[in-house]
PDB file of all heavy atoms in Angstrom:
ATOM      1  N   SER A 300     -25.612  12.545  29.120  1.00 52.00           N
ATOM      2  CA  SER A 300     -24.174  12.351  29.008  1.00 52.00           C
ATOM      3  C   SER A 300     -23.648  11.528  30.169  1.00 52.00           C
ATOM      4  O   SER A 300     -24.351  11.271  31.135  1.00 52.00           O
ATOM      5  CB  SER A 300     -23.477  13.707  28.993  1.00 52.00           C
ATOM      6  OG  SER A 300     -23.633  14.323  30.254  1.00 52.00           O
ATOM      7  N   ASP A 301     -22.375  11.133  30.055  1.00 51.00           N
ATOM      8  CA  ASP A 301     -21.745  10.368  31.125  1.00 51.00           C
ATOM      9  C   ASP A 301     -21.851  11.093  32.456  1.00 51.00           C
ATOM     10  O   ASP A 301     -22.030  10.478  33.488  1.00 51.00           O
ATOM     11  CB  ASP A 301     -20.263  10.113  30.809  1.00 51.00           C
ATOM     12  CG  ASP A 301     -20.092   9.124  29.668  1.00 51.00           C
ATOM     13  OD1 ASP A 301     -20.975   8.271  29.483  1.00 51.00           O
ATOM     14  OD2 ASP A 301     -19.076   9.218  28.977  1.00 51.00           O
ATOM     15  N   PHE A 304     -25.147  10.309  34.225  1.00 95.00           N
ATOM     16  CA  PHE A 304     -25.100   8.954  34.778  1.00 95.00           C
ATOM     17  C   PHE A 304     -24.261   8.939  36.053  1.00 95.00           C
ATOM     18  O   PHE A 304     -24.694   8.412  37.083  1.00 95.00           O
ATOM     19  CB  PHE A 304     -24.535   7.992  33.727  1.00 95.00           C
ATOM     20  CG  PHE A 304     -24.383   6.583  34.205  1.00 95.00           C
ATOM     21  CD1 PHE A 304     -25.494   5.758  34.344  1.00 95.00           C
ATOM     22  CD2 PHE A 304     -23.133   6.076  34.512  1.00 95.00           C
ATOM     23  CE1 PHE A 304     -25.356   4.448  34.778  1.00 95.00           C
ATOM     24  CE2 PHE A 304     -22.979   4.768  34.936  1.00 95.00           C
ATOM     25  CZ  PHE A 304     -24.097   3.948  35.077  1.00 95.00           C
ATOM     26  N   LEU A 352     -32.468   2.999  31.248  1.00 97.00           N
ATOM     27  CA  LEU A 352     -32.001   4.290  31.764  1.00 97.00           C
ATOM     28  C   LEU A 352     -30.492   4.350  31.905  1.00 97.00           C
ATOM     29  O   LEU A 352     -29.905   5.413  31.688  1.00 97.00           O
ATOM     30  CB  LEU A 352     -32.672   4.613  33.097  1.00 97.00           C
ATOM     31  CG  LEU A 352     -34.138   5.026  33.026  1.00 97.00           C
ATOM     32  CD1 LEU A 352     -34.657   5.357  34.416  1.00 97.00           C
ATOM     33  CD2 LEU A 352     -34.348   6.188  32.077  1.00 97.00           C
ATOM     34  N   CYS A 353     -29.849   3.248  32.240  1.00 96.00           N
ATOM     35  CA  CYS A 353     -28.381   3.267  32.314  1.00 96.00           C
ATOM     36  C   CYS A 353     -27.807   3.776  30.997  1.00 96.00           C
ATOM     37  O   CYS A 353     -26.987   4.695  30.986  1.00 96.00           O
ATOM     38  CB  CYS A 353     -27.830   1.873  32.626  1.00 96.00           C
ATOM     39  SG  CYS A 353     -27.854   1.435  34.370  1.00 96.00           S
ATOM     40  N   GLY A 354     -28.241   3.220  29.894  1.00 95.00           N
ATOM     41  CA  GLY A 354     -27.735   3.641  28.587  1.00 95.00           C
ATOM     42  C   GLY A 354     -28.210   5.026  28.191  1.00 95.00           C
ATOM     43  O   GLY A 354     -27.429   5.836  27.684  1.00 95.00           O
ATOM     44  N   TRP A 355     -29.468   5.333  28.447  1.00 95.00           N
ATOM     45  CA  TRP A 355     -30.049   6.618  28.071  1.00 95.00           C
ATOM     46  C   TRP A 355     -29.379   7.771  28.801  1.00 95.00           C
ATOM     47  O   TRP A 355     -29.231   8.861  28.271  1.00 95.00           O
ATOM     48  CB  TRP A 355     -31.548   6.574  28.366  1.00 95.00           C
ATOM     49  CG  TRP A 355     -32.344   7.733  27.899  1.00 95.00           C
ATOM     50  CD1 TRP A 355     -32.664   8.049  26.605  1.00 95.00           C
ATOM     51  CD2 TRP A 355     -32.970   8.729  28.715  1.00 95.00           C
ATOM     52  NE1 TRP A 355     -33.450   9.172  26.578  1.00 95.00           N
ATOM     53  CE2 TRP A 355     -33.657   9.607  27.857  1.00 95.00           C
ATOM     54  CE3 TRP A 355     -33.025   8.947  30.087  1.00 95.00           C
ATOM     55  CZ2 TRP A 355     -34.382  10.699  28.328  1.00 95.00           C
ATOM     56  CZ3 TRP A 355     -33.751  10.029  30.552  1.00 95.00           C
ATOM     57  CH2 TRP A 355     -34.416  10.889  29.687  1.00 95.00           C
ATOM     58  N   LEU A 356     -28.922   7.495  30.012  1.00 95.00           N
ATOM     59  CA  LEU A 356     -28.281   8.520  30.827  1.00 95.00           C
ATOM     60  C   LEU A 356     -26.772   8.597  30.595  1.00 95.00           C
ATOM     61  O   LEU A 356     -26.090   9.390  31.230  1.00 95.00           O
ATOM     62  CB  LEU A 356     -28.567   8.259  32.311  1.00 95.00           C
ATOM     63  CG  LEU A 356     -30.032   8.435  32.705  1.00 95.00           C
ATOM     64  CD1 LEU A 356     -30.288   7.824  34.080  1.00 95.00           C
ATOM     65  CD2 LEU A 356     -30.423   9.907  32.681  1.00 95.00           C
ATOM     66  N   GLY A 357     -26.249   7.769  29.692  1.00 94.00           N
ATOM     67  CA  GLY A 357     -24.842   7.845  29.346  1.00 94.00           C
ATOM     68  C   GLY A 357     -23.964   6.770  29.935  1.00 94.00           C
ATOM     69  O   GLY A 357     -22.748   6.820  29.803  1.00 94.00           O
ATOM     70  N   GLY A 358     -24.561   5.778  30.559  1.00 95.00           N
ATOM     71  CA  GLY A 358     -23.795   4.681  31.150  1.00 95.00           C
ATOM     72  C   GLY A 358     -23.790   3.456  30.254  1.00 95.00           C
ATOM     73  O   GLY A 358     -23.993   3.562  29.034  1.00 95.00           O
ATOM     74  N   PRO A 359     -23.594   2.297  30.846  1.00 96.00           N
ATOM     75  CA  PRO A 359     -23.528   1.049  30.071  1.00 96.00           C
ATOM     76  C   PRO A 359     -24.827   0.789  29.300  1.00 96.00           C
ATOM     77  O   PRO A 359     -25.920   1.087  29.780  1.00 96.00           O
ATOM     78  CB  PRO A 359     -23.329  -0.028  31.147  1.00 96.00           C
ATOM     79  CG  PRO A 359     -22.854   0.688  32.359  1.00 96.00           C
ATOM     80  CD  PRO A 359     -23.401   2.081  32.282  1.00 96.00           C
ATOM     81  N   GLN A 360     -24.682   0.212  28.134  1.00 96.00           N
ATOM     82  CA  GLN A 360     -25.816  -0.059  27.245  1.00 96.00           C
ATOM     83  C   GLN A 360     -26.426  -1.441  27.536  1.00 96.00           C
ATOM     84  O   GLN A 360     -26.542  -2.288  26.651  1.00 96.00           O
ATOM     85  CB  GLN A 360     -25.355   0.042  25.786  1.00 96.00           C
ATOM     86  CG  GLN A 360     -24.869   1.410  25.392  1.00 96.00           C
ATOM     87  CD  GLN A 360     -25.986   2.443  25.402  1.00 96.00           C
ATOM     88  OE1 GLN A 360     -27.124   2.182  25.037  1.00 96.00           O
ATOM     89  NE2 GLN A 360     -25.652   3.646  25.863  1.00 96.00           N
ATOM     90  N   HIS A 361     -26.828  -1.662  28.770  1.00 96.00           N
ATOM     91  CA  HIS A 361     -27.359  -2.971  29.178  1.00 96.00           C
ATOM     92  C   HIS A 361     -28.575  -3.390  28.348  1.00 96.00           C
ATOM     93  O   HIS A 361     -28.702  -4.545  27.966  1.00 96.00           O
ATOM     94  CB  HIS A 361     -27.754  -2.963  30.655  1.00 96.00           C
ATOM     95  CG  HIS A 361     -26.628  -2.729  31.594  1.00 96.00           C
ATOM     96  ND1 HIS A 361     -25.449  -3.432  31.540  1.00 96.00           N
ATOM     97  CD2 HIS A 361     -26.511  -1.868  32.638  1.00 96.00           C
ATOM     98  CE1 HIS A 361     -24.652  -3.019  32.501  1.00 96.00           C
ATOM     99  NE2 HIS A 361     -25.263  -2.063  33.179  1.00 96.00           N
TER     100      HIS A 361
END
Side-chain angles (χ1 to χ4, degrees):
S300 67
D301 290 332
F304 177 75
L352 287 182
C353 278
W355 187 71
L356 293 166
Q360 297 293 322
H361 297 310

